[in-house]
C-alpha cells in the first residue's frame, strides 16, 4: 500500500500510467482522496552558482515569494521553478493551503554575492569526506572538519579563499555545522584580507562569537570599516568545547 500526496487539483478524469513493474502490472485497488492540506513553512536555498530554490515538506502547499523586500501575499508570484540570483538580495516566501485561505509564517533569506568563482587556496588540515572546499559550497548538509583522530592538529586551524575578483567587504559570516552536533564549533578567531594571497592584513584579531556554546547559530560579523580584498583568511583560536579540532558549515563575506 502506498499513499502519495500532491498539490490539490480539480478534475473529472484520472489516468494512471505504470512505467515499470517487477512482474506485470498488478493492482488490487486504486483510489483518490481529498485529504486536508498540511501547512509547512517554505525552505529557501541557493547553490554556489546562485540558483535559488524554494521548497516545502508538504506538497499540498502553494508558495509565493518576493525579491523586493515586501511581504509575500496570495497575489505575489508563485514559485514554480528555480531562478538565478547571482548578486544577492532579499527573498521572502510564504506557504498557502486551501485555495489561499490559510497561510504560514513569512520566511526570509538575505543572500550576498555568490561563491561561483571562489577557490580554496590554503587550509590547515581536513578529514576525508569533510574537505575544506565544503566550507564554501553553499550546502549546509556538508562541512569542513579538521582531523579529530590521533594525532590531531591543534589550533590555529585556517582556511584561505580566493574570491576571483576584488570586493569591498563590510564583514564576514560563519555558519557552524548543521547536524545538531556542537563538536568543533569555533568561539575565538582571527580574520585577514589580502590582494595577492601572500601578504595578509589583519582585520579582526582574537574575535569572539558570542554565546555560541548555548546557541551555535549563523554569525554575521561587521567590520569597523569596509576593506577591499580579493583574498580572505579565517583562522581559529579556540573552540566552544576546548577541543583541538574545528568544524565549519559555511564561511562567507558581507558586501551588501
Amino acid at each position: 500500500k502506498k499513499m502519495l500526496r500532491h498539490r490539490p487539483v480539480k478534475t473529472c478524469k484520472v489516468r494512471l500510467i505504470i512505467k515499470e513493474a517487477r512482474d506485470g502490472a498488478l493492482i488490487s485497488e486504486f483510489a483518490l482522496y481529498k485529504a486536508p492540506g498540511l501547512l509547512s513553512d517554505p525552505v529557501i536555498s541557493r547553490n554556489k552558482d546562485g540558483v535559488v530554490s524554494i521548497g516545502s515538506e508538504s506538497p499540498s502547499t502553494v508558495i509565493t515569494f518576493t525579491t523586493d523586500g515586501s511581504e509575500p501575499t496570495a497575489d505575489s508570484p508563485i514559485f514554480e521553478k528555480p531562478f538565478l540570483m547571482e548578486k544577492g538580495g532579499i527573498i521572502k516566501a510564504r506557504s498557502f493551503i486551501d485555495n489561499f485561505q490559510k497561510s504560514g509564517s513569512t520566511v526570509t533569506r538575505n543572500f550576498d554575492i555568490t561563491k561561483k568563482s571562489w577557490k580554496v587556496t590554503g587550509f590547515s588540515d581536513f578529514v576525508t569526506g569533510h574537505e575544506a572546499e565544503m566550507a564554501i559550497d553553499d550546502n549546509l548538509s556538508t562541512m569542513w572538519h579538521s582531523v579529530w583522530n590521533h594525532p590531531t592538529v591543534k589550533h590555529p586551524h585556517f582556511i584561505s579563499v580566493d574570491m576571483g575578483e576584488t570586493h569591498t567587504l563590510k564583514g564576514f559570516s560563519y555558519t557552524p555545522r548543521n547536524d545538531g552536533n556542537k563538536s568543533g564549533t569555533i568561539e575565538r578567531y582571527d580574520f585577514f584580507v589580502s590582494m595577492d594571497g601572500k601578504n595578509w592584513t589583519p582585520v579582526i584579531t582574537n574575535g569572539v562569537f558570542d554565546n555560541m556554546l548555548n546557541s551555535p547559530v549563523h554569525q554575521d560579523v561587521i567590520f569597523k570599516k569596509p576593506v577591499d580584498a580579493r583574498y580572505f583568511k579565517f583562522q581559529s583560536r579556540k573552540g566552544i568545547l576546548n577541543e583541538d579540532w574545528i568544524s565549519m558549515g559555511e564561511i562567507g563575506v558581507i558586501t551588501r
Side-chain angles (χ1 to χ4, degrees):
K1 183 177 181 179
K2 182 72 173 179
M3 183 176 290
L4 301 175
R5 286 184 173 269
H6 58 79
R7 185 178 296 180
V9 295
K10 272 188 176 181
T11 185
C12 60
K13 295 181 180 180
V14 175
R15 172 179 291 172
L16 174 66
I17 299 176
I18 300 172
K19 294 185 176 181
E20 187 177 354
R22 292 182 182 178
D23 184 18
L26 307 176
I27 299 177
S28 174
E29 182 180 4
F30 175 62
L32 303 174
Y33 300 91
K34 185 180 179 182
L38 298 177
L39 192 58
S40 176
D41 285 338
V43 176
I44 307 171
S45 62
R46 188 183 69 166
N47 65 19
K48 191 172 183 178
D49 293 327
V51 178
V52 176
S53 296
I54 308 176
S56 171
E57 293 182 356
S58 173
S60 60
T61 59
V62 176
I63 300 172
T64 68
F65 71 99
T66 62
T67 57
D68 60 1
S70 62
E71 288 296 309
T73 67
D75 296 324
S76 301
I78 296 175
F79 177 78
E80 296 179 327
K81 62 181 180 180
F83 58 91
L84 189 64
M85 180 181 270
E86 289 185 298
K87 295 182 179 180
I90 298 175
I91 298 178
K92 294 186 177 183
R94 179 181 291 176
S95 296
F96 293 84
I97 59 172
D98 297 345
N99 196 26
F100 295 97
Q101 296 303 305
K102 296 179 181 179
S103 65
S105 303
T106 297
V107 175
T108 303
R109 288 292 306 273
N110 191 351
F111 294 107
D112 213 289
I113 57 173
T114 67
K115 302 175 181 178
K116 184 176 182 178
S117 301
W118 289 21
K119 295 181 181 179
V120 173
T121 57
F123 53 86
S124 50
D125 66 314
F126 68 92
V127 175
T128 301
H130 300 295
E131 289 78 9
E133 286 76 12
M134 292 183 177
I136 61 168
D137 63 359
D138 262 336
N139 182 355
L140 290 180
S141 66
T142 67
M143 63 175 163
W144 169 40
H145 205 302
S146 66
V147 176
W148 64 78
N149 295 324
H150 183 78
T152 58
V153 178
K154 297 184 179 182
H155 295 278
H157 297 279
F158 79 93
I159 182 172
S160 56
V161 175
D162 177 5
M163 296 181 286
E165 59 181 304
T166 300
H167 294 284
T168 299
L169 308 185
K170 297 181 180 180
F172 79 96
S173 63
Y174 162 68
T175 306
R177 60 194 297 176
N178 196 40
D179 60 357
N181 191 333
K182 296 181 181 181
S183 182
T185 301
I186 299 166
E187 181 180 56
R188 293 186 175 272
Y189 63 89
D190 302 318
F191 193 90
F192 306 85
V193 296
S194 173
M195 294 298 292
D196 58 9
K198 298 177 181 178
N199 300 292
W200 297 96
T201 301
V203 181
I204 298 178
T205 302
N206 200 22
V208 179
F209 295 127
D210 293 330
N211 201 33
M212 286 294 273
L213 180 60
N214 298 313
S215 182
V217 296
H218 175 92
Q219 301 284 317
D220 286 335
V221 178
I222 303 300
F223 301 150
K224 291 182 179 179
K225 61 179 181 178
V227 294
D228 291 335
R230 171 169 171 164
Y231 300 81
F232 69 84
K233 179 166 65 174
F234 177 90
Q235 179 174 278
S236 70
R237 279 178 172 261
K238 178 179 177 292
I240 61 172
L241 301 179
N242 292 313
E243 300 159 319
D244 291 334
W245 55 87
I246 60 102
S247 60
M248 177 182 292
E250 286 290 318
I251 186 79
V253 296
I254 300 171
T255 66
R256 293 171 56 82

